[in-house]
Amino acid sequence: MTVIDNPGTVAARRGHLIPGHITAADAPVFERRSPFDGSLVAEVVLGTPADTRAAIAAARNAFDHGPWPKLPGTERAKILLRWAGLVRENAEELARLETAEVGKPIGFARAGDVPATLDTIEAAALAAAHVKGELHDDLGGAIMGLVRREPVGVVGAIVPWNFPALLYSHKVAFALAAGCTVVVKPSEFTSGSAILLTRLAHRAGVPEDALVLVTGTGPDAGQPLAESTDVDLLSFTGSTRTARLLAAVDRPYPQVQHFELGGKGATIVFADADLDQAVDGALFGFAINNGETCTAGTRLLVEDAIADEFVARLAQKAAQLTVGDPWSESTVVGPLIHAQHTARVRGFIDEAAAAGSVVISPELPASTSPESFVAPTIIDRVETDSRLFQEEVFGPVLAVKRFSGVDEAVRLANSTVYGLANSIWTSDTSTALTVARALKSGTVWINTIHDTPGTLPFGGVAGSGIGREKGVEGLVGFTQLKTITVQVAPRSPIYG
Ligand code: NAD
């Protein structure tokens, strides 16, 4: 095969990391091509269900018989901190992998994804040292209760393509911190950063069988993680459609499953907001990561009194964003993940235009193809029952709706099946907190957007998922309780 001379490329062939497991030299591969110029980035081994079962067996054995779950939390913490140090040393390579495979602008990969991944691993390390049980000493004189918090076991981690390194760290770092062993299945489009992070974890001291990785497609390499009774918890980030499939797979008994799914975030701007800040926030809100972001603020709800001025200012700023080569430091919007996805995003725009909405879309630069790129597009006068207002687009497209007063803002924001993240822009603290309390979402930002420190819990409600990642709660999610009841005084026999 020919491998392009691409600075993001670390390996011609990418495949499983399972100790003792040999992949046939002629195993079928998936060609990952650059979403920017179509050049070959890597060949990725297409894992089979048997490969995934081998990965599960390794992680099962590591959990049942290996040292990792039994290490003191402080020891796991030190290893995770060493891992963070190695990630820091390899930050540039990680950023380049993200740009090569995702099409993520390199400036954003360097300043956004990589520091957030590091922050998440470090937050997991800090949490690892603080797993606590409980002593119940008020149960009467005869018994005492000990409640142990134990690692849940083997975790299956399925990761999507839009933030491959960061979302890997949400799951893997916290599961390891809790003492679990992990089988990771990255997206077939973006295996490179997951493989690099896994290798660095092994170098830092995570046993090779405590963290294993299988590459390939969802149905073949991923689904066995939901079917196996040797996987105690499935942590999935991806589409609601796939989550429904995974929740319904045939297995002898239910599995603990955490789902981080899609979103349809609202950026809610009140007339008293600092408009410079709000315009900047609304733009970053929907253009971030080419719009391929679950927490993107893809609906702008703007108060009537300022709506025309706000949309005009936003459109003017959107037209100034550089669209194009993701390897250029000045690029803000790069190519979408693949041509089929770009066509789907364009479908939303065309449908809204046909329905009479006002589409404000800057011209694409001559160097970019409409099959790969979508300029940051603002669509005004959108109907609330339209697909554009209700469904996840996953591209740089913003639907605008005007409102009057707090009640209407909340009603509109809460009118989709999703509940992941919303932002509120106002100078009135009372308005901000009233709306924040009424919003149906796992995260609310006030006068900011997309701030997600590793020490804060993250997750969705309703159609956006179940469970929380990151923070202490993110670690607790990878544990289960064991109640131990101890007789501490002479026991009265039941049967005399
Ligand atoms: P996807 O559901 O198609 O794929 C996600 C992962 O699941 C990939 O690794 C894929 O290979 C795997 N998969 C697909 N079918 C499977 C099956 N039958 N069994 C097991 N695994 C399977 O989603 P995507 O297109 O990769 O990612 C985009 C979606 O992810 C969007 O809906 C986005 O909102 C969501 N997302 C959510 C969050 C969050 O934290 N809530 C974060 C990022 C992305």
Side-chain angles (χ1 to χ4, degrees):
M1 64 173 278
T2 46
V3 177
I4 54 158
D5 181 21
N6 184 316
T9 305
V10 289
R13 187 178 149 103
R14 297 185 182 146
H16 319 311
L17 297 175
I18 311 168
H21 183 73
I22 295 169
T23 304
D26 61 350
V29 291
F30 171 81
E31 284 191 347
R32 180 55 187 147
R33 295 193 167 271
S34 157
F36 172 52
D37 58 14
S39 55
L40 189 63
V41 174
E43 289 182 338
V44 180
V45 171
L46 284 169
T48 62
D51 292 323
T52 302
R53 285 195 290 272
I56 295 169
R60 179 82 260 162
N61 190 57
F63 186 79
D64 292 344
H65 306 292
W68 188 256
K70 300 180 195 75
L71 284 181
T74 46
E75 288 306 310
R76 288 199 297 271
K78 285 178 202 162
I79 292 171
L80 295 181
L81 286 175
R82 257 201 316 270
W83 183 22
L86 291 171
V87 173
R88 193 169 277 111
E89 282 172 24
N90 290 272
E92 182 59 16
E93 185 177 347
L94 191 60
R96 285 175 174 271
L97 280 166
E98 297 280 274
T99 297
E101 292 193 330
V102 186
K104 199 179 285 273
I106 187 71
F108 182 61
R110 285 183 184 133
D113 291 56
V114 174
T117 302
L118 267 167
D119 178 55
T120 304
I121 296 174
E122 286 169 344
L126 296 176
H130 295 281
V131 180
K132 296 191 283 284
E134 290 170 7
L135 167 68
H136 289 249
D137 201 13
D138 59 348
L139 304 174
I143 60 166
M144 177 187 280
L146 304 175
V147 181
R148 263 176 63 77
R149 189 165 282 289
E150 302 180 339
V152 73
V154 176
V155 170
I158 301 182
V159 185
W161 48 259
N162 60 336
F163 284 90
L166 177 60
L167 298 175
Y168 168 109
S169 71
H170 277 204
K171 301 178 185 310
V172 176
F174 280 91
L176 289 174
C180 296
T181 62
V182 186
V183 181
V184 196
K185 210 297 282 174
S187 165
E188 55 275 34
F189 298 114
T190 56
S191 308
S193 52
I195 290 174
L196 176 62
L197 287 169
T198 302
R199 287 206 169 111
L200 295 176
H202 294 157
R203 268 177 56 198
V206 176
E208 288 192 5
D209 55 355
L211 172 57
V212 295
L213 178 146
V214 60
T215 56
T217 66
D220 287 340
Q223 194 157 318
L225 294 170
E227 290 161 351
S228 171
T229 51
D230 276 332
V231 176
D232 300 291
L233 184 151
L234 184 74
S235 176
F236 170 82
T237 300
S239 62
T240 309
R241 178 183 43 78
T242 307
R244 280 214 305 269
L245 273 173
L246 292 171
V249 298
D250 189 24
R251 33 175 297 129
Y253 54 84
Q255 185 181 47
V256 183
Q257 296 186 331
H258 296 172
F259 292 121
E260 295 290 345
L261 309 178
K264 194 71 201 178
T267 301
I268 308 168
V269 183
F270 288 90
D272 63 0
D274 175 328
L275 293 193
D276 290 338
Q277 285 288 329
V279 166
D280 181 70
L283 186 55
F284 181 49
F286 84 95
I288 179 177
N289 197 46
N290 310 335
E292 295 169 321
T293 305
C294 54
T295 52
T298 53
R299 294 176 301 154
L300 170 66
L301 308 180
V302 56
E303 199 157 19
D304 274 329
I306 55 160
D308 288 340
E309 180 197 345
F310 194 87
V311 172
R313 285 178 63 178
L314 188 61
Q316 194 186 19
K317 269 198 105 162
Q320 289 163 5
L321 298 186
T322 305
V323 179
D325 182 351
W327 294 103
S328 161
E329 267 288 345
S330 59
T331 293
V332 175
V333 177
L336 299 187
I337 191 78
H338 49 61
Q340 200 186 348
H341 182 57
T342 313
R344 182 178 169 276
V345 172
R346 290 201 170 281
F348 278 96
I349 300 173
D350 296 345
E351 193 174 305
S357 296
V358 181
V359 177
I360 311 166
S361 190
E363 286 275 305
L364 276 177
S367 58
T368 60
S369 147
E371 282 176 14
S372 307
F373 288 85
V374 174
T377 300
I378 297 164
I379 307 186
D380 201 356
R381 312 274 170 198
V382 171
E383 294 298 330
T384 50
D385 60 358
S386 64
R387 275 197 333 124
L388 181 63
F389 197 83
Q390 294 294 330
E391 294 182 19
E392 190 177 49
V393 177
F394 233 51
V397 181
L398 180 70
V400 182
K401 184 81 193 160
R402 289 151 164 78
F403 70 84
S404 166
V406 163
D407 290 348
E408 191 179 14
V410 170
R411 185 179 55 73
L412 287 169
N414 286 348
S415 69
T416 76
V417 299
Y418 292 110
L420 192 56
N422 295 295
S423 72
I424 303 164
W425 301 80
T426 173
S427 56
D428 185 312
T429 310
S430 162
T431 302
L433 292 177
T434 303
V435 175
R437 289 166 72 152
L439 288 175
K440 182 188 79 174
S441 61
T443 290
V444 176
W445 291 292
I446 296 175
N447 294 325
T448 184
I449 191 159
H450 296 313
D451 284 321
T452 53
T455 46
L456 293 185
F458 173 79
V461 301
S464 291
I466 301 169
R468 289 294 176 270
E469 296 189 327
K470 307 198 298 179
V472 172
E473 294 76 4
L475 182 141
V476 165
F478 290 113
T479 64
Q480 62 193 0
L481 297 179
K482 178 180 283 165
T483 303
I484 302 174
T485 310
V486 187
Q487 183 78 22
V488 290
R491 179 174 178 274
S492 310
I494 306 280
Y495 299 118

